[in-house]
Amino acid sequence: MMLYAISGTDAPDSLAGRRQARTAHLARVTALRDAGRLVVAGPHPAIDSTEPGTLGYTGSLIIAEFPGLDEASAWAHADPYLAAGVWSKVDVKPFIQVMP
């Protein structure tokens, strides 16, 4: 098992779609957490605020453990945010955690 950084980039005007697909997206991330495989996950707000309001988000970052790059990529490309058009693209890269 190795860590992978999954970076989803939001499409323009994706806030409504993000709200609609959020429950399904979070269910998948929660399953990673419950399996002890999640390091961190969360969105990138469009402004320097924890509450971006209608300005929404520019993307998301998930760092989690997978058996390999193919499995991490398959998991990322099956995400409800990608299927709903919230993410315009998703990048998956191996990640080595140095700290903490």
Side-chain angles (χ1 to χ4, degrees):
M1 294 284 258
M2 184 168 173
L3 293 177
Y4 294 87
I6 298 168
S7 180
T9 301
D10 276 27
D13 301 316
S14 61
L15 188 57
R18 182 179 272 272
R19 288 178 178 148
Q20 289 177 340
R22 187 171 191 263
T23 299
H25 166 77
L26 288 181
R28 297 178 82 239
V29 177
T30 299
L32 288 175
R33 182 200 66 196
D34 292 350
R37 296 171 46 199
L38 181 66
V39 174
V40 66
H44 299 290
I47 59 172
D48 189 13
S49 172
T50 59
E51 298 293 332
T54 58
L55 294 176
Y57 302 89
T58 60
S60 305
L61 174 66
I62 299 164
I63 299 176
E65 191 175 49
F66 291 91
L69 181 59
D70 289 343
E71 292 86 353
S73 184
W75 186 92
H77 285 89
D79 196 276
Y81 277 177
L82 194 59
V86 174
W87 290 345
S88 61
K89 72 174 188 165
V90 64
D91 295 309
V92 181
K93 297 179 182 180
F95 180 79
I96 298 172
Q97 183 176 359
V98 176
M99 291 186 201

Coordinates of all heavy atoms in Angstrom, one line a residue:
M1 N 0.9 -1.2 0.0 CA 0.0 0.0 0.0 C 0.9 1.2 0.0 O 2.0 1.3 0.6 CB -0.9 0.0 1.2 CG -1.9 -1.1 1.3 SD -3.3 -0.8 0.2 CE -4.5 -0.3 1.3
M2 N 0.4 2.3 -0.7 CA 1.1 3.5 -0.8 C 0.1 4.7 -0.7 O -1.1 4.5 -1.0 CB 1.9 3.6 -2.1 CG 2.8 4.8 -2.2 SD 4.0 4.6 -3.6 CE 4.6 6.3 -3.6
L3 N 0.6 5.8 -0.4 CA -0.3 7.0 -0.4 C -0.3 7.6 -1.8 O 0.7 7.6 -2.5 CB 0.2 8.1 0.6 CG 0.1 7.7 2.1 CD1 0.8 8.8 2.9 CD2 -1.3 7.4 2.5
Y4 N -1.5 8.2 -2.1 CA -1.7 8.9 -3.4 C -2.4 10.2 -3.1 O -3.4 10.2 -2.3 CB -2.5 8.0 -4.4 CG -1.7 6.8 -4.8 CD1 -1.8 5.7 -4.0 CD2 -0.9 6.9 -5.8 CE1 -1.0 4.6 -4.3 CE2 -0.1 5.8 -6.2 CZ -0.1 4.6 -5.4 OH 0.7 3.5 -5.7
A5 N -2.0 11.2 -3.8 CA -2.7 12.5 -3.7 C -3.6 12.6 -4.9 O -3.2 12.5 -6.1 CB -1.7 13.7 -3.8
I6 N -4.9 12.8 -4.6 CA -5.9 13.0 -5.6 C -6.4 14.4 -5.6 O -6.8 14.9 -4.6 CB -7.1 12.0 -5.3 CG1 -6.7 10.6 -5.4 CG2 -8.3 12.3 -6.3 CD1 -7.6 9.6 -4.8
S7 N -6.2 15.1 -6.7 CA -6.5 16.5 -6.8 C -7.6 16.7 -7.9 O -7.3 16.5 -9.1 CB -5.2 17.3 -7.2 OG -5.5 18.7 -7.3
G8 N -8.8 17.1 -7.5 CA -9.8 17.4 -8.4 C -9.9 18.9 -8.6 O -9.9 19.6 -7.7
T9 N -10.0 19.3 -9.9 CA -10.1 20.7 -10.2 C -11.6 21.0 -10.6 O -12.1 20.3 -11.5 CB -9.2 21.0 -11.4 OG1 -7.9 20.7 -11.1 CG2 -9.3 22.5 -11.8
D10 N -12.2 21.9 -9.9 CA -13.6 22.3 -10.2 C -13.8 23.0 -11.5 O -13.0 23.8 -11.9 CB -14.2 23.2 -9.1 CG -14.6 22.4 -7.9 OD1 -14.1 21.3 -7.6 OD2 -15.5 22.9 -7.2
A11 N -14.9 22.6 -12.2 CA -15.3 23.3 -13.4 C -15.9 24.7 -13.0 O -16.3 24.9 -11.8 CB -16.4 22.5 -14.1
P12 N -15.9 25.6 -13.9 CA -16.6 26.9 -13.6 C -18.0 26.7 -13.1 O -18.7 25.8 -13.7 CB -16.5 27.7 -14.9 CG -15.4 27.1 -15.6 CD -15.4 25.6 -15.2
D13 N -18.5 27.5 -12.2 CA -19.9 27.5 -11.8 C -20.3 26.1 -11.3 O -21.4 25.6 -11.6 CB -20.8 28.0 -12.8 CG -20.5 29.4 -13.3 OD1 -20.2 30.2 -12.4 OD2 -20.5 29.7 -14.5
S14 N -19.5 25.4 -10.5 CA -19.8 24.0 -10.1 C -20.4 23.9 -8.7 O -20.7 22.8 -8.3 CB -18.5 23.2 -10.1 OG -17.6 23.8 -9.1
L15 N -20.7 25.0 -8.1 CA -21.2 25.0 -6.7 C -22.5 24.2 -6.6 O -22.7 23.4 -5.7 CB -21.4 26.4 -6.1 CG -21.7 26.4 -4.6 CD1 -20.7 25.7 -3.8 CD2 -21.8 27.9 -4.2
A16 N -23.5 24.4 -7.5 CA -24.8 23.7 -7.4 C -24.6 22.2 -7.6 O -25.1 21.4 -6.8 CB -25.7 24.2 -8.4
G17 N -23.7 21.8 -8.5 CA -23.4 20.4 -8.7 C -22.7 19.8 -7.5 O -23.0 18.6 -7.2
R18 N -21.8 20.6 -6.9 CA -21.1 20.1 -5.8 C -22.1 19.8 -4.6 O -22.0 18.8 -4.0 CB -20.1 21.2 -5.3 CG -19.2 20.8 -4.2 CD -18.2 21.9 -3.8 NE -17.0 21.8 -4.6 CZ -16.0 21.1 -4.2 NH1 -16.0 20.5 -3.0 NH2 -14.9 21.0 -4.9
R19 N -23.0 20.7 -4.4 CA -24.0 20.5 -3.4 C -24.8 19.2 -3.6 O -25.1 18.5 -2.7 CB -24.9 21.7 -3.3 CG -24.2 22.9 -2.6 CD -25.1 24.1 -2.6 NE -24.4 25.2 -1.9 CZ -24.7 26.5 -2.2 NH1 -25.6 26.8 -3.2 NH2 -24.0 27.5 -1.6
Q20 N -25.2 19.0 -4.9 CA -26.0 17.8 -5.2 C -25.3 16.5 -5.1 O -25.8 15.5 -4.6 CB -26.6 18.0 -6.6 CG -27.6 19.0 -6.8 CD -28.1 19.2 -8.2 OE1 -27.4 18.8 -9.2 NE2 -29.3 19.8 -8.4
A21 N -24.0 16.5 -5.4 CA -23.2 15.3 -5.4 C -22.4 15.1 -4.1 O -21.8 14.0 -3.9 CB -22.2 15.3 -6.6
R22 N -22.5 16.0 -3.2 CA -21.7 16.0 -2.0 C -22.0 14.8 -1.1 O -21.0 14.1 -0.6 CB -22.0 17.3 -1.1 CG -21.0 17.4 0.0 CD -21.2 18.8 0.7 NE -20.1 19.0 1.7 CZ -20.3 18.8 3.0 NH1 -21.4 18.4 3.5 NH2 -19.2 19.0 3.8
T23 N -23.2 14.4 -0.9 CA -23.5 13.2 0.0 C -22.8 12.0 -0.6 O -22.2 11.2 0.2 CB -25.0 13.0 0.1 OG1 -25.6 14.2 0.7 CG2 -25.3 11.8 1.0
A24 N -23.0 11.7 -1.9 CA -22.4 10.5 -2.5 C -20.8 10.6 -2.4 O -20.2 9.6 -2.2 CB -22.8 10.4 -3.9
H25 N -20.3 11.8 -2.7 CA -18.8 12.0 -2.6 C -18.3 11.7 -1.2 O -17.3 11.0 -1.1 CB -18.5 13.4 -3.1 CG -17.1 13.8 -2.8 ND1 -16.0 13.4 -3.5 CD2 -16.6 14.6 -1.8 CE1 -14.9 14.0 -3.0 NE2 -15.3 14.7 -2.0
L26 N -19.0 12.3 -0.2 CA -18.5 12.1 1.1 C -18.7 10.7 1.6 O -17.9 10.2 2.4 CB -19.3 13.1 2.1 CG -18.9 14.6 2.0 CD1 -19.7 15.4 3.0 CD2 -17.4 14.8 2.2
A27 N -19.6 10.0 1.1 CA -19.8 8.6 1.5 C -18.6 7.8 1.1 O -18.1 6.9 1.8 CB -21.0 8.0 0.9
R28 N -18.0 8.0 -0.1 CA -16.8 7.3 -0.6 C -15.6 7.7 0.3 O -14.8 6.9 0.6 CB -16.6 7.6 -2.0 CG -17.7 7.2 -2.9 CD -17.5 7.5 -4.4 NE -16.6 6.5 -4.9 CZ -15.4 6.8 -5.5 NH1 -14.9 8.0 -5.6 NH2 -14.6 5.8 -6.0
V29 N -15.5 9.0 0.6 CA -14.3 9.5 1.4 C -14.4 8.9 2.8 O -13.5 8.5 3.4 CB -14.2 11.0 1.4 CG1 -13.1 11.5 2.3 CG2 -14.0 11.5 0.0
T30 N -15.7 8.9 3.4 CA -15.9 8.3 4.7 C -15.5 6.8 4.7 O -14.9 6.4 5.7 CB -17.4 8.5 5.1 OG1 -17.6 9.9 5.1 CG2 -17.6 7.9 6.5
A31 N -15.8 6.1 3.7 CA -15.4 4.7 3.6 C -13.9 4.5 3.7 O -13.4 3.6 4.3 CB -16.0 4.0 2.3
L32 N -13.1 5.4 3.0 CA -11.7 5.4 3.1 C -11.3 5.7 4.6 O -10.4 5.0 5.1 CB -11.0 6.4 2.2 CG -11.1 6.2 0.7 CD1 -10.5 7.4 0.0 CD2 -10.3 4.9 0.4
R33 N -11.9 6.7 5.2 CA -11.6 7.0 6.6 C -11.9 5.8 7.5 O -11.0 5.4 8.3 CB -12.4 8.2 7.0 CG -12.0 8.6 8.5 CD -13.1 9.4 9.1 NE -14.3 8.6 9.3 CZ -15.5 9.1 9.5 NH1 -15.7 10.4 9.6 NH2 -16.6 8.3 9.7
D34 N -13.0 5.2 7.3 CA -13.4 4.1 8.2 C -12.5 2.9 8.0 O -12.4 2.1 8.9 CB -14.9 3.7 7.9 CG -15.8 4.8 8.4 OD1 -15.4 5.8 9.1 OD2 -17.0 4.7 8.1
A35 N -11.9 2.8 6.8 CA -11.0 1.7 6.6 C -9.6 2.0 7.0 O -8.6 1.2 6.9 CB -11.0 1.3 5.1
G36 N -9.4 3.2 7.6 CA -8.1 3.6 8.1 C -7.1 4.0 7.0 O -5.9 4.0 7.2
R37 N -7.6 4.3 5.8 CA -6.8 4.6 4.7 C -6.7 6.1 4.3 O -5.9 6.5 3.4 CB -7.3 3.8 3.5 CG -7.2 2.4 3.7 CD -7.9 1.6 2.6 NE -7.6 2.0 1.2 CZ -8.4 1.7 0.2 NH1 -9.5 1.0 0.3 NH2 -8.1 2.2 -1.0
L38 N -7.5 7.0 5.0 CA -7.5 8.4 4.7 C -6.5 9.2 5.5 O -6.5 9.0 6.8 CB -8.9 8.9 4.9 CG -9.1 10.4 4.5 CD1 -9.0 10.6 3.0 CD2 -10.5 10.8 5.0
V39 N -5.7 10.0 4.9 CA -4.8 10.9 5.6 C -5.5 12.3 5.8 O -5.5 12.8 6.9 CB -3.5 11.1 4.9 CG1 -2.6 12.1 5.6 CG2 -2.7 9.7 4.8
V40 N -6.0 12.8 4.7 CA -6.7 14.1 4.7 C -7.6 14.3 3.5 O -7.3 13.7 2.5 CB -5.6 15.3 4.8 CG1 -4.8 15.3 3.5 CG2 -6.2 16.6 5.1
A41 N -8.6 15.0 3.7 CA -9.5 15.3 2.5 C -10.2 16.7 2.8 O -10.6 17.0 3.9 CB -10.5 14.2 2.3
G42 N -10.4 17.4 1.7 CA -11.1 18.7 1.8 C -11.1 19.5 0.6 O -10.3 19.2 -0.3
P43 N -11.9 20.5 0.5 CA -12.0 21.4 -0.6 C -11.0 22.6 -0.6 O -10.5 22.9 0.5 CB -13.4 21.9 -0.6 CG -13.7 22.0 0.9 CD -13.0 20.9 1.5
H44 N -10.8 23.2 -1.7 CA -10.0 24.4 -1.8 C -11.0 25.6 -2.0 O -11.6 25.7 -3.1 CB -9.1 24.4 -3.0 CG -8.0 23.3 -3.0 ND1 -7.0 23.3 -2.1 CD2 -7.9 22.2 -3.8 CE1 -6.2 22.2 -2.4 NE2 -6.8 21.5 -3.4
P45 N -11.2 26.4 -1.0 CA -12.2 27.5 -1.2 C -11.6 28.5 -2.2 O -10.4 28.7 -2.4 CB -12.3 28.2 0.2 CG -11.1 27.7 1.0 CD -10.6 26.4 0.3
A46 N -12.6 29.1 -3.0 CA -12.2 30.1 -4.0 C -11.6 31.4 -3.5 O -11.0 32.1 -4.2 CB -13.4 30.4 -4.9
I47 N -11.9 31.6 -2.2 CA -11.3 32.8 -1.6 C -10.6 32.4 -0.2 O -10.8 31.3 0.2 CB -12.4 33.9 -1.3 CG1 -13.5 33.4 -0.4 CG2 -12.9 34.4 -2.6 CD1 -14.5 34.4 0.1
D48 N -9.9 33.3 0.3 CA -9.2 33.1 1.6 C -10.2 33.1 2.8 O -10.2 34.0 3.6 CB -8.1 34.1 1.7 CG -7.1 33.8 2.9 OD1 -7.2 32.6 3.4 OD2 -6.3 34.7 3.3
S49 N -11.0 32.1 2.8 CA -12.0 32.0 3.9 C -12.5 30.6 4.1 O -12.6 29.8 3.1 CB -13.2 32.9 3.5 OG -14.3 32.7 4.4
T50 N -12.8 30.2 5.3 CA -13.4 28.9 5.5 C -14.9 28.8 5.1 O -15.5 27.8 5.0 CB -13.3 28.5 7.0 OG1 -14.0 29.5 7.8 CG2 -11.9 28.4 7.4
E51 N -15.5 30.0 4.8 CA -16.9 30.1 4.3 C -16.9 30.9 3.0 O -17.1 32.1 3.0 CB -17.7 30.7 5.4 CG -17.8 30.0 6.7 CD -18.5 28.7 6.6 OE1 -19.4 28.5 5.7 OE2 -18.2 27.8 7.4
P52 N -16.6 30.3 1.9 CA -16.6 31.0 0.6 C -17.9 31.4 0.1 O -18.0 32.2 -0.9 CB -15.8 30.1 -0.3 CG -16.2 28.7 0.2 CD -16.3 28.9 1.7
G53 N -19.0 31.0 0.7 CA -20.3 31.4 0.2 C -20.6 31.0 -1.3 O -20.1 29.9 -1.7
T54 N -21.2 31.9 -2.0 CA -21.5 31.6 -3.4 C -20.3 31.6 -4.3 O -20.4 31.2 -5.5 CB -22.5 32.7 -3.9 OG1 -21.9 34.0 -3.8 CG2 -23.8 32.6 -3.1
L55 N -19.1 32.0 -3.8 CA -17.9 31.9 -4.7 C -17.5 30.5 -4.8 O -16.7 30.1 -5.7 CB -16.8 32.8 -4.1 CG -17.1 34.3 -4.1 CD1 -16.0 35.1 -3.4 CD2 -17.3 34.8 -5.6
G56 N -17.9 29.6 -3.9 CA -17.6 28.2 -4.0 C -16.2 27.8 -3.8 O -15.4 28.4 -3.0
Y57 N -15.8 26.8 -4.6 CA -14.5 26.1 -4.4 C -13.8 26.0 -5.8 O -14.4 26.0 -6.8 CB -14.7 24.7 -3.8 CG -15.4 24.8 -2.5 CD1 -16.8 24.8 -2.4 CD2 -14.7 25.0 -1.3 CE1 -17.5 25.0 -1.2 CE2 -15.3 25.2 -0.1 CZ -16.7 25.1 -0.1 OH -17.4 25.3 1.2
T58 N -12.5 25.8 -5.7 CA -11.7 25.6 -7.0 C -11.3 24.2 -7.2 O -10.8 23.8 -8.2 CB -10.5 26.5 -7.0 OG1 -9.6 26.1 -5.9 CG2 -10.8 28.0 -6.9
G59 N -11.5 23.3 -6.2 CA -11.2 21.9 -6.3 C -11.2 21.2 -4.9 O -11.6 21.8 -3.9
S60 N -10.6 20.0 -4.9 CA -10.5 19.2 -3.7 C -9.2 18.5 -3.7 O -8.6 18.2 -4.8 CB -11.7 18.2 -3.7 OG -12.9 18.8 -3.8
L61 N -8.8 18.1 -2.5 CA -7.6 17.3 -2.3 C -7.9 16.2 -1.4 O -8.5 16.3 -0.3 CB -6.5 18.1 -1.7 CG -5.2 17.4 -1.3 CD1 -4.5 16.8 -2.5 CD2 -4.3 18.3 -0.5
I62 N -7.5 15.0 -1.8 CA -7.7 13.8 -1.0 C -6.3 13.1 -1.0 O -5.7 12.8 -2.1 CB -8.8 12.8 -1.6 CG1 -10.1 13.5 -1.6 CG2 -8.8 11.5 -0.8 CD1 -11.1 12.8 -2.5
I63 N -5.8 12.7 0.2 CA -4.6 11.9 0.3 C -5.0 10.7 1.0 O -5.5 10.7 2.2 CB -3.5 12.7 1.0 CG1 -3.1 13.9 0.2 CG2 -2.3 11.7 1.1 CD1 -2.0 14.8 0.9
A64 N -4.9 9.5 0.4 CA -5.3 8.3 0.9 C -4.4 7.1 0.4 O -3.7 7.3 -0.5 CB -6.8 8.0 0.5
E65 N -4.6 6.0 1.1 CA -3.8 4.8 0.8 C -4.5 3.9 -0.1 O -5.7 3.6 0.1 CB -3.5 4.1 2.1 CG -2.5 3.0 2.1 CD -2.2 2.5 3.4 OE1 -3.1 2.2 4.2 OE2 -1.0 2.3 3.8
F66 N -3.8 3.4 -1.2 CA -4.3 2.5 -2.1 C -3.3 1.4 -2.4 O -2.1 1.7 -2.2 CB -4.7 3.2 -3.4 CG -5.9 4.1 -3.3 CD1 -5.7 5.4 -2.9 CD2 -7.2 3.6 -3.5 CE1 -6.8 6.3 -2.8 CE2 -8.3 4.5 -3.3 CZ -8.1 5.8 -3.0
P67 N -3.7 0.3 -2.9 CA -2.7 -0.8 -3.3 C -1.7 -0.3 -4.4 O -0.6 -0.8 -4.4 CB -3.5 -1.9 -3.7 CG -4.9 -1.7 -3.2 CD -5.0 -0.2 -3.1
G68 N -2.1 0.6 -5.3 CA -1.3 1.0 -6.4 C -1.9 2.2 -7.1 O -3.1 2.6 -6.8
L69 N -1.2 2.7 -8.0 CA -1.6 3.9 -8.8 C -2.9 3.6 -9.6 O -3.8 4.4 -9.7 CB -0.5 4.4 -9.7 CG -0.8 5.6 -10.6 CD1 -1.2 6.8 -9.7 CD2 0.4 5.9 -11.5
D70 N -2.9 2.4 -10.2 CA -4.1 2.0 -11.0 C -5.4 2.0 -10.1 O -6.4 2.5 -10.6 CB -4.0 0.6 -11.7 CG -2.9 0.6 -12.8 OD1 -2.6 1.7 -13.3 OD2 -2.5 -0.4 -13.2
E71 N -5.3 1.5 -8.9 CA -6.5 1.5 -8.0 C -6.8 2.9 -7.6 O -8.0 3.2 -7.5 CB -6.2 0.6 -6.8 CG -6.1 -0.9 -7.2 CD -4.7 -1.3 -7.6 OE1 -3.8 -0.5 -7.8 OE2 -4.5 -2.5 -7.8
A72 N -5.8 3.7 -7.3 CA -6.1 5.1 -6.8 C -6.7 5.8 -8.0 O -7.7 6.6 -7.8 CB -4.8 5.7 -6.4
S73 N -6.2 5.7 -9.2 CA -6.8 6.4 -10.3 C -8.2 5.9 -10.6 O -9.1 6.7 -10.9 CB -5.9 6.1 -11.6 OG -6.4 6.9 -12.7
A74 N -8.5 4.6 -10.6 CA -9.8 4.1 -10.8 C -10.8 4.6 -9.8 O -11.9 5.0 -10.1 CB -9.8 2.6 -10.8
W75 N -10.4 4.7 -8.5 CA -11.2 5.2 -7.4 C -11.5 6.7 -7.7 O -12.7 7.1 -7.6 CB -10.5 5.0 -6.1 CG -11.4 5.4 -4.9 CD1 -12.2 4.6 -4.2 CD2 -11.5 6.7 -4.4 NE1 -12.8 5.3 -3.2 CE2 -12.4 6.7 -3.3 CE3 -11.0 8.0 -4.6 CZ2 -12.8 7.8 -2.5 CZ3 -11.4 9.1 -3.9 CH2 -12.3 9.0 -2.8
A76 N -10.5 7.5 -8.0 CA -10.7 8.9 -8.3 C -11.6 9.1 -9.5 O -12.5 10.0 -9.4 CB -9.3 9.6 -8.5
H77 N -11.4 8.4 -10.5 CA -12.2 8.6 -11.8 C -13.7 8.1 -11.6 O -14.5 8.4 -12.5 CB -11.5 8.0 -13.0 CG -10.4 8.8 -13.4 ND1 -9.1 8.7 -12.9 CD2 -10.3 9.9 -14.3 CE1 -8.3 9.6 -13.4 NE2 -9.0 10.3 -14.3
A78 N -14.0 7.4 -10.5 CA -15.3 6.9 -10.3 C -16.0 7.8 -9.3 O -17.2 7.6 -8.9 CB -15.3 5.5 -9.7
D79 N -15.4 9.0 -8.9 CA -16.0 9.9 -7.9 C -17.2 10.6 -8.5 O -17.3 11.0 -9.6 CB -14.9 10.9 -7.5 CG -15.4 11.6 -6.2 OD1 -16.2 12.5 -6.3 OD2 -15.0 11.1 -5.1
P80 N -18.2 10.7 -7.6 CA -19.5 11.4 -8.0 C -19.2 12.8 -8.5 O -20.0 13.4 -9.3 CB -20.3 11.3 -6.8 CG -19.9 10.1 -6.1 CD -18.4 10.1 -6.3
Y81 N -18.2 13.5 -7.9 CA -17.9 14.9 -8.4 C -17.5 14.9 -9.8 O -17.9 15.8 -10.6 CB -16.9 15.5 -7.5 CG -17.3 16.1 -6.2 CD1 -16.4 16.7 -5.3 CD2 -18.7 16.1 -5.8 CE1 -16.9 17.2 -4.1 CE2 -19.1 16.7 -4.6 CZ -18.2 17.2 -3.8 OH -18.6 17.8 -2.6
L82 N -16.7 13.9 -10.2 CA -16.3 13.9 -11.7 C -17.5 13.5 -12.5 O -17.8 14.2 -13.6 CB -15.2 12.8 -11.8 CG -14.5 12.9 -13.1 CD1 -13.8 14.3 -13.4 CD2 -13.4 11.8 -13.2
A83 N -18.3 12.5 -12.1 CA -19.5 12.1 -12.9 C -20.5 13.3 -13.0 O -21.2 13.4 -14.0 CB -20.2 10.9 -12.2
A84 N -20.6 14.1 -12.0 CA -21.6 15.2 -12.0 C -21.1 16.5 -12.7 O -21.8 17.5 -12.8 CB -22.0 15.5 -10.6
G85 N -19.8 16.4 -13.1 CA -19.2 17.6 -13.8 C -18.7 18.7 -12.8 O -18.4 19.8 -13.2
V86 N -18.7 18.3 -11.5 CA -18.1 19.3 -10.5 C -16.7 19.4 -10.8 O -16.1 20.5 -10.9 CB -18.4 18.8 -9.1 CG1 -17.7 19.7 -8.1 CG2 -19.9 18.7 -8.8
W87 N -16.0 18.3 -10.9 CA -14.5 18.3 -11.3 C -14.4 18.3 -12.8 O -15.0 17.4 -13.4 CB -13.8 17.1 -10.7 CG -13.6 17.1 -9.2 CD1 -13.8 18.2 -8.3 CD2 -13.3 16.0 -8.4 NE1 -13.5 17.8 -7.0 CE2 -13.2 16.5 -7.1 CE3 -13.0 14.7 -8.7 CZ2 -12.9 15.6 -6.0 CZ3 -12.6 13.9 -7.6 CH2 -12.6 14.3 -6.3
S88 N -13.7 19.2 -13.3 CA -13.4 19.2 -14.8 C -12.3 18.2 -15.1 O -12.1 17.7 -16.2 CB -13.1 20.6 -15.3 OG -12.0 21.1 -14.6
K89 N -11.4 18.0 -14.1 CA -10.3 17.0 -14.3 C -9.9 16.5 -12.9 O -10.2 17.2 -11.9 CB -9.2 17.6 -15.0 CG -8.3 18.6 -14.3 CD -7.1 19.0 -15.1 CE -6.2 19.9 -14.2 NZ -4.9 20.0 -14.7
V90 N -9.2 15.4 -12.9 CA -8.7 14.8 -11.7 C -7.3 14.3 -11.9 O -7.1 13.7 -13.0 CB -9.6 13.8 -11.1 CG1 -9.8 12.5 -12.0 CG2 -9.2 13.4 -9.7
D91 N -6.4 14.6 -11.1 CA -5.0 14.2 -11.2 C -4.7 13.3 -10.0 O -5.1 13.5 -8.9 CB -4.0 15.3 -11.1 CG -4.1 16.2 -12.4 OD1 -4.1 15.7 -13.5 OD2 -4.2 17.5 -12.2
V92 N -4.0 12.2 -10.2 CA -3.6 11.2 -9.2 C -2.1 11.0 -9.2 O -1.6 10.7 -10.3 CB -4.4 9.9 -9.4 CG1 -4.0 8.9 -8.3 CG2 -5.9 10.1 -9.4
K93 N -1.5 11.2 -8.1 CA 0.0 11.1 -8.1 C 0.4 10.4 -6.8 O -0.2 10.6 -5.7 CB 0.7 12.5 -8.0 CG 0.4 13.3 -9.3 CD 1.1 14.7 -9.1 CE 0.9 15.5 -10.3 NZ 1.5 16.8 -10.2
P94 N 1.5 9.5 -6.9 CA 2.0 8.9 -5.7 C 2.4 10.1 -4.7 O 2.9 11.1 -5.1 CB 3.2 8.1 -6.1 CG 3.0 7.9 -7.6 CD 2.2 9.1 -8.1
F95 N 2.3 9.8 -3.4 CA 2.7 10.8 -2.4 C 3.4 10.1 -1.3 O 3.1 9.0 -0.8 CB 1.4 11.4 -1.8 CG 1.6 12.4 -0.8 CD1 1.9 13.7 -1.1 CD2 1.4 12.1 0.6 CE1 2.1 14.6 -0.1 CE2 1.6 13.0 1.6 CZ 1.9 14.3 1.2
I96 N 4.5 10.7 -0.8 CA 5.3 10.2 0.3 C 5.1 11.2 1.4 O 5.5 12.4 1.3 CB 6.8 10.0 -0.1 CG1 6.9 9.0 -1.2 CG2 7.6 9.7 1.2 CD1 8.3 8.9 -1.7
Q97 N 4.5 10.8 2.5 CA 4.3 11.6 3.7 C 5.6 11.7 4.5 O 6.1 10.7 5.0 CB 3.2 11.1 4.5 CG 2.9 12.1 5.7 CD 1.6 11.6 6.5 OE1 1.0 10.6 6.1 NE2 1.3 12.3 7.5
V98 N 6.2 12.9 4.6 CA 7.4 13.1 5.4 C 7.1 13.6 6.8 O 7.6 13.1 7.8 CB 8.4 14.1 4.7 CG1 9.6 14.3 5.5 CG2 8.8 13.5 3.3
M99 N 6.1 14.4 6.9 CA 5.6 15.0 8.2 C 4.1 15.1 8.2 O 3.6 15.4 7.2 CB 6.3 16.3 8.5 CG 7.8 16.2 8.7 SD 8.3 17.9 9.2 CE 10.1 17.7 8.8
P100 N 3.5 15.1 9.3 CA 4.0 14.8 10.6 C 4.2 13.3 10.7 O 3.7 12.5 10.0 CB 2.9 15.2 11.5 CG 1.6 15.1 10.7 CD 2.0 15.4 9.3

